[in-house]
Amino acid sequence: MRTYSPKPADIEPKWYIVDASDLVLGRMAAQVANLLRGKHKPTYAPHIDTGDYVIVVNAAKVALTGAKAQQKMAYHHSGYPGGLKATSYAELLATQPEKAIMKAVKGMLPHNKLGRQQLKKLRVFAGSEHPHVAQKPEPYTLKKIAQ
């Protein structure tokens, strides 16, 4: 039997919409990363981008468990000596909730060219409005994972 390797012509990406209201950030990000990678498809191959496009709405309503909102920090560096900046997730969710979800999903994708290509298929919006109505996204209900 031969190993199946999908060709670019065989890949038909779909558009999914995920409502992040009252979902736990890390658990939601893990499932969104699987959609972006295409691991839910029978044609999945780890070296080819077989994933779908994902729109996340209501990013401002995402939840963090425990005391993570105050204790967990989001770091970024300016590139200059002493340029490390730290922001608590409570402040990040209040000011830039899109960035919190992008950061969580980015950490769950491969850290190479393929992961950067897959991350470009993620669209995150703080509210419930999005400009991708023409793509006819299907609502995707995330599996409830036991806490």
Side-chain angles (χ1 to χ4, degrees), residues 124-145:
V124 184
F125 300 97
S128 61
E129 298 297 319
H130 64 87
H132 302 288
V133 179
Q135 282 74 29
K136 298 180 182 137
E138 300 174 18
Y140 190 82
T141 55
L142 297 177
K143 300 175 197 83
K144 293 288 182 189
I145 302 172

Side-chain angles (χ1 to χ4, degrees), residues 48-138:
I48 295 175
D49 185 8
T50 59
D52 295 321
Y53 289 84
V54 179
I55 303 165
V56 179
V57 294
N58 294 322
K61 298 178 184 173
V62 76
L64 289 171
T65 58
K68 288 190 193 92
Q70 285 74 35
Q71 292 177 356
K72 188 172 171 69
M73 303 298 272
Y75 297 99
H76 66 279
H77 200 283
S78 67
Y80 289 97
L84 183 66
K85 308 284 185 193
T87 310
S88 71
Y89 263 78
E91 185 180 336
L92 189 65
L93 285 172
T95 57
Q96 300 172 309
E98 303 94 353
K99 191 173 275 191
I101 292 180
M102 290 290 276
K103 195 170 179 60
V105 173
K106 181 181 178 183
M108 296 180 187
L109 291 174
H111 303 290
N112 54 25
K113 290 181 191 177
L114 183 62
R116 290 188 291 275
Q117 180 183 348
Q118 291 167 344
L119 189 63
K120 289 179 185 175
K121 297 188 301 182
L122 176 63
R123 310 295 203 283
V124 184
F125 300 97
S128 61
E129 298 297 319
H130 64 87
H132 302 288
V133 179
Q135 282 74 29
K136 298 180 182 137
E138 300 174 18

